[in-house]
Structure formats: structure tokens, C-alpha cells
Amino acid sequence: MGTLEYILGSVLLAVCVLIVAAVLMQSGKDKKLSGAIAGGADTFFSKGKAGRLDKMLSKATVVISVVMLVLIVVLNCVA
């Protein structure tokens, strides 16, 4: 394995960790289970801030997914 493959593999691993974090930070669509786990999250955060954060995390998930896809294709072409 060459140095480029090690570098691309490390970057891919970091991107995978980022996408897992971005997905886990998003609030669920079903508030029943989420409310039971989170407790009083709605009283701490305002609804507007939570909505903006969810939109930002959703866009970040899409961008990170595309970066991950490109990295996988490039890594397979190099190998």
C-alpha cells in the first residue's frame, strides 16, 4: 500500500466519524421517544434555535455524505 492510500484511508475514517456524529446529533422526527430520553430539552432550547440547528445538521450530513462518496471512489481508483 502506498502513502496516498494511507492518507485517503485516514481521511475517509475521519469523514465516517463526522457523518456518524452529524446523524446522531439530529433530533428525531418522532418526538415521543426523543422526549422521553432528552427530558426537558424543549424548555432549555427555544424551538427556533433547534430548528436552525437541525437544518444545519441536515445540510452538513448531505455534504459529508457526498465527500465520503467521492473519497470512496477515489480510494478505489487509486488502489
Side-chain angles (χ1 to χ4, degrees):
M1 287 182 65
T3 307
L4 183 61
E5 290 177 2
Y6 284 122
I7 293 171
L8 288 176
S10 300
V11 172
L12 182 61
L13 183 64
V15 169
C16 290
V17 170
L18 283 175
I19 197 166
V20 167
V23 168
L24 288 177
M25 288 175 59
Q26 292 180 16
S27 64
K29 301 294 181 199
D30 187 20
K31 296 294 181 181
K32 294 176 189 172
L33 182 61
S34 176
I37 294 172
D42 285 339
T43 59
F44 185 73
F45 295 111
S46 69
K47 296 211 184 269
K49 284 186 180 179
R52 282 187 269 143
L53 181 63
D54 281 339
K55 287 181 183 178
M56 183 189 70
L57 286 172
S58 177
K59 289 180 183 179
T61 303
V62 171
V63 170
I64 294 170
S65 309
V66 170
V67 169
M68 184 173 152
L69 176 70
V70 170
L71 277 173
I72 290 170
V73 170
V74 169
L75 190 59
N76 283 323
C77 289
V78 169

mmCIF file of all heavy atoms in Angstrom, residues 25-42 45-47 49-51 54:
data_model
loop_
_atom_site.group_PDB
_atom_site.id
_atom_site.type_symbol
_atom_site.label_atom_id
_atom_site.label_comp_id
_atom_site.label_asym_id
_atom_site.label_seq_id
_atom_site.Cartn_x
_atom_site.Cartn_y
_atom_site.Cartn_z
ATOM 1 N N MET A 25 -26.507 13.709 16.200
ATOM 2 C CA MET A 25 -26.865 14.991 16.809
ATOM 3 C C MET A 25 -28.209 15.507 16.336
ATOM 4 O O MET A 25 -28.796 16.379 16.969
ATOM 5 C CB MET A 25 -25.775 16.027 16.528
ATOM 6 C CG MET A 25 -24.508 15.775 17.308
ATOM 7 S SD MET A 25 -23.177 16.898 16.885
ATOM 8 C CE MET A 25 -23.906 18.486 17.258
ATOM 9 N N GLN A 26 -28.718 14.978 15.229
ATOM 10 C CA GLN A 26 -30.013 15.434 14.721
ATOM 11 C C GLN A 26 -31.128 14.930 15.617
ATOM 12 O O GLN A 26 -31.064 13.833 16.161
ATOM 13 C CB GLN A 26 -30.237 14.924 13.300
ATOM 14 C CG GLN A 26 -29.311 15.528 12.286
ATOM 15 C CD GLN A 26 -29.557 14.999 10.896
ATOM 16 O OE1 GLN A 26 -30.589 14.401 10.625
ATOM 17 N NE2 GLN A 26 -28.609 15.217 10.019
ATOM 18 N N SER A 27 -32.166 15.755 15.751
ATOM 19 C CA SER A 27 -33.323 15.312 16.534
ATOM 20 C C SER A 27 -34.197 14.436 15.657
ATOM 21 O O SER A 27 -34.277 14.618 14.444
ATOM 22 C CB SER A 27 -34.118 16.507 17.046
ATOM 23 O OG SER A 27 -34.668 17.223 15.966
ATOM 24 N N GLY A 28 -34.858 13.480 16.281
ATOM 25 C CA GLY A 28 -35.708 12.567 15.541
ATOM 26 C C GLY A 28 -37.007 13.230 15.122
ATOM 27 O O GLY A 28 -37.439 14.231 15.682
ATOM 28 N N LYS A 29 -37.647 12.655 14.129
ATOM 29 C CA LYS A 29 -38.937 13.179 13.668
ATOM 30 C C LYS A 29 -40.048 12.818 14.653
ATOM 31 O O LYS A 29 -41.008 13.534 14.806
ATOM 32 C CB LYS A 29 -39.270 12.619 12.285
ATOM 33 C CG LYS A 29 -38.243 12.933 11.235
ATOM 34 C CD LYS A 29 -38.181 14.401 10.964
ATOM 35 C CE LYS A 29 -37.133 14.659 9.880
ATOM 36 N NZ LYS A 29 -36.688 16.020 9.861
ATOM 37 N N ASP A 30 -39.903 11.689 15.320
ATOM 38 C CA ASP A 30 -40.900 11.247 16.286
ATOM 39 C C ASP A 30 -40.498 11.754 17.664
ATOM 40 O O ASP A 30 -39.493 11.345 18.221
ATOM 41 C CB ASP A 30 -40.986 9.721 16.284
ATOM 42 C CG ASP A 30 -42.123 9.210 17.152
ATOM 43 O OD1 ASP A 30 -43.049 9.991 17.431
ATOM 44 O OD2 ASP A 30 -42.075 8.027 17.533
ATOM 45 N N LYS A 31 -41.271 12.659 18.225
ATOM 46 C CA LYS A 31 -40.911 13.298 19.492
ATOM 47 C C LYS A 31 -41.255 12.446 20.709
ATOM 48 O O LYS A 31 -40.892 12.780 21.812
ATOM 49 C CB LYS A 31 -41.612 14.660 19.615
ATOM 50 C CG LYS A 31 -41.182 15.657 18.583
ATOM 51 C CD LYS A 31 -39.736 16.037 18.777
ATOM 52 C CE LYS A 31 -39.327 17.066 17.747
ATOM 53 N NZ LYS A 31 -37.958 17.458 17.868
ATOM 54 N N LYS A 32 -41.973 11.344 20.537
ATOM 55 C CA LYS A 32 -42.368 10.547 21.692
ATOM 56 C C LYS A 32 -41.154 9.930 22.383
ATOM 57 O O LYS A 32 -40.939 10.131 23.560
ATOM 58 C CB LYS A 32 -43.336 9.445 21.260
ATOM 59 C CG LYS A 32 -44.653 9.970 20.758
ATOM 60 C CD LYS A 32 -45.529 8.847 20.261
ATOM 61 C CE LYS A 32 -46.760 9.414 19.567
ATOM 62 N NZ LYS A 32 -47.539 8.381 18.908
ATOM 63 N N LEU A 33 -40.365 9.184 21.646
ATOM 64 C CA LEU A 33 -39.201 8.538 22.231
ATOM 65 C C LEU A 33 -38.113 9.557 22.522
ATOM 66 O O LEU A 33 -37.441 9.487 23.547
ATOM 67 C CB LEU A 33 -38.674 7.448 21.290
ATOM 68 C CG LEU A 33 -37.488 6.644 21.789
ATOM 69 C CD1 LEU A 33 -37.878 5.918 23.074
ATOM 70 C CD2 LEU A 33 -37.058 5.646 20.745
ATOM 71 N N SER A 34 -37.945 10.530 21.652
ATOM 72 C CA SER A 34 -36.921 11.550 21.844
ATOM 73 C C SER A 34 -37.197 12.371 23.099
ATOM 74 O O SER A 34 -36.281 12.703 23.834
ATOM 75 C CB SER A 34 -36.865 12.463 20.621
ATOM 76 O OG SER A 34 -35.950 13.496 20.819
ATOM 77 N N GLY A 35 -38.439 12.687 23.344
ATOM 78 C CA GLY A 35 -38.784 13.451 24.532
ATOM 79 C C GLY A 35 -38.557 12.671 25.812
ATOM 80 O O GLY A 35 -38.185 13.228 26.837
ATOM 81 N N ALA A 36 -38.745 11.370 25.758
ATOM 82 C CA ALA A 36 -38.531 10.545 26.939
ATOM 83 C C ALA A 36 -37.044 10.452 27.280
ATOM 84 O O ALA A 36 -36.670 10.419 28.442
ATOM 85 C CB ALA A 36 -39.101 9.143 26.703
ATOM 86 N N ILE A 37 -36.209 10.424 26.260
ATOM 87 C CA ILE A 37 -34.772 10.307 26.504
ATOM 88 C C ILE A 37 -34.174 11.668 26.852
ATOM 89 O O ILE A 37 -33.391 11.793 27.782
ATOM 90 C CB ILE A 37 -34.070 9.705 25.259
ATOM 91 C CG1 ILE A 37 -34.536 8.267 25.058
ATOM 92 C CG2 ILE A 37 -32.560 9.762 25.400
ATOM 93 C CD1 ILE A 37 -34.067 7.650 23.775
ATOM 94 N N ALA A 38 -34.550 12.698 26.105
ATOM 95 C CA ALA A 38 -33.937 14.013 26.265
ATOM 96 C C ALA A 38 -34.448 14.751 27.494
ATOM 97 O O ALA A 38 -33.764 15.627 28.008
ATOM 98 C CB ALA A 38 -34.170 14.849 25.019
ATOM 99 N N GLY A 39 -35.608 14.439 27.946
ATOM 100 C CA GLY A 39 -36.144 15.129 29.113
ATOM 101 C C GLY A 39 -36.679 16.496 28.748
ATOM 102 O O GLY A 39 -37.530 16.637 27.896
ATOM 103 N N GLY A 40 -36.165 17.538 29.366
ATOM 104 C CA GLY A 40 -36.671 18.886 29.157
ATOM 105 C C GLY A 40 -35.874 19.677 28.150
ATOM 106 O O GLY A 40 -35.553 20.831 28.390
ATOM 107 N N ALA A 41 -35.552 19.094 27.040
ATOM 108 C CA ALA A 41 -34.740 19.786 26.034
ATOM 109 C C ALA A 41 -35.497 20.963 25.427
ATOM 110 O O ALA A 41 -34.885 21.963 25.066
ATOM 111 C CB ALA A 41 -34.310 18.817 24.940
ATOM 112 N N ASP A 42 -36.816 20.850 25.291
ATOM 113 C CA ASP A 42 -37.583 21.941 24.708
ATOM 114 C C ASP A 42 -37.629 23.153 25.628
ATOM 115 O O ASP A 42 -37.793 24.271 25.162
ATOM 116 C CB ASP A 42 -39.010 21.488 24.387
ATOM 117 C CG ASP A 42 -39.065 20.606 23.153
ATOM 118 O OD1 ASP A 42 -38.118 20.667 22.346
ATOM 119 O OD2 ASP A 42 -40.048 19.862 23.005
ATOM 120 N N PHE A 45 -33.763 24.757 25.116
ATOM 121 C CA PHE A 45 -33.541 25.375 23.816
ATOM 122 C C PHE A 45 -34.858 25.926 23.301
ATOM 123 O O PHE A 45 -35.900 25.323 23.465
ATOM 124 C CB PHE A 45 -33.012 24.351 22.806
ATOM 125 C CG PHE A 45 -31.661 23.820 23.151
ATOM 126 C CD1 PHE A 45 -31.501 22.514 23.552
ATOM 127 C CD2 PHE A 45 -30.550 24.633 23.063
ATOM 128 C CE1 PHE A 45 -30.252 22.021 23.875
ATOM 129 C CE2 PHE A 45 -29.307 24.146 23.388
ATOM 130 C CZ PHE A 45 -29.145 22.846 23.784
ATOM 131 N N SER A 46 -34.789 27.042 22.631
ATOM 132 C CA SER A 46 -36.010 27.545 22.002
ATOM 133 C C SER A 46 -36.262 26.751 20.730
ATOM 134 O O SER A 46 -35.365 26.154 20.162
ATOM 135 C CB SER A 46 -35.869 29.030 21.693
ATOM 136 O OG SER A 46 -34.926 29.226 20.664
ATOM 137 N N LYS A 47 -37.495 26.755 20.302
ATOM 138 C CA LYS A 47 -37.839 25.965 19.123
ATOM 139 C C LYS A 47 -37.151 26.497 17.870
ATOM 140 O O LYS A 47 -36.798 25.751 16.989
ATOM 141 C CB LYS A 47 -39.348 25.929 18.951
ATOM 142 C CG LYS A 47 -40.048 25.226 20.078
ATOM 143 C CD LYS A 47 -41.290 24.574 19.598
ATOM 144 C CE LYS A 47 -42.025 23.967 20.756
ATOM 145 N NZ LYS A 47 -41.664 22.609 21.007
ATOM 146 N N LYS A 49 -34.135 27.929 17.611
ATOM 147 C CA LYS A 49 -32.728 27.520 17.593
ATOM 148 C C LYS A 49 -32.597 26.049 17.235
ATOM 149 O O LYS A 49 -31.704 25.659 16.505
ATOM 150 C CB LYS A 49 -32.073 27.779 18.946
ATOM 151 C CG LYS A 49 -31.749 29.216 19.208
ATOM 152 C CD LYS A 49 -30.981 29.350 20.508
ATOM 153 C CE LYS A 49 -30.645 30.799 20.776
ATOM 154 N NZ LYS A 49 -29.929 30.953 22.044
ATOM 155 N N ALA A 50 -33.484 25.228 17.777
ATOM 156 C CA ALA A 50 -33.427 23.802 17.480
ATOM 157 C C ALA A 50 -33.710 23.553 16.005
ATOM 158 O O ALA A 50 -33.092 22.694 15.390
ATOM 159 C CB ALA A 50 -34.426 23.046 18.354
ATOM 160 N N GLY A 51 -34.628 24.315 15.419
ATOM 161 C CA GLY A 51 -34.939 24.167 14.001
ATOM 162 C C GLY A 51 -33.766 24.548 13.123
ATOM 163 O O GLY A 51 -33.468 23.882 12.130
ATOM 164 N N ASP A 54 -31.130 21.834 13.380
ATOM 165 C CA ASP A 54 -31.488 20.651 12.605
ATOM 166 C C ASP A 54 -31.277 20.869 11.115
ATOM 167 O O ASP A 54 -30.822 19.967 10.411
ATOM 168 C CB ASP A 54 -32.940 20.253 12.866
ATOM 169 C CG ASP A 54 -33.106 19.501 14.172
ATOM 170 O OD1 ASP A 54 -32.100 18.958 14.657
ATOM 171 O OD2 ASP A 54 -34.229 19.460 14.689
#
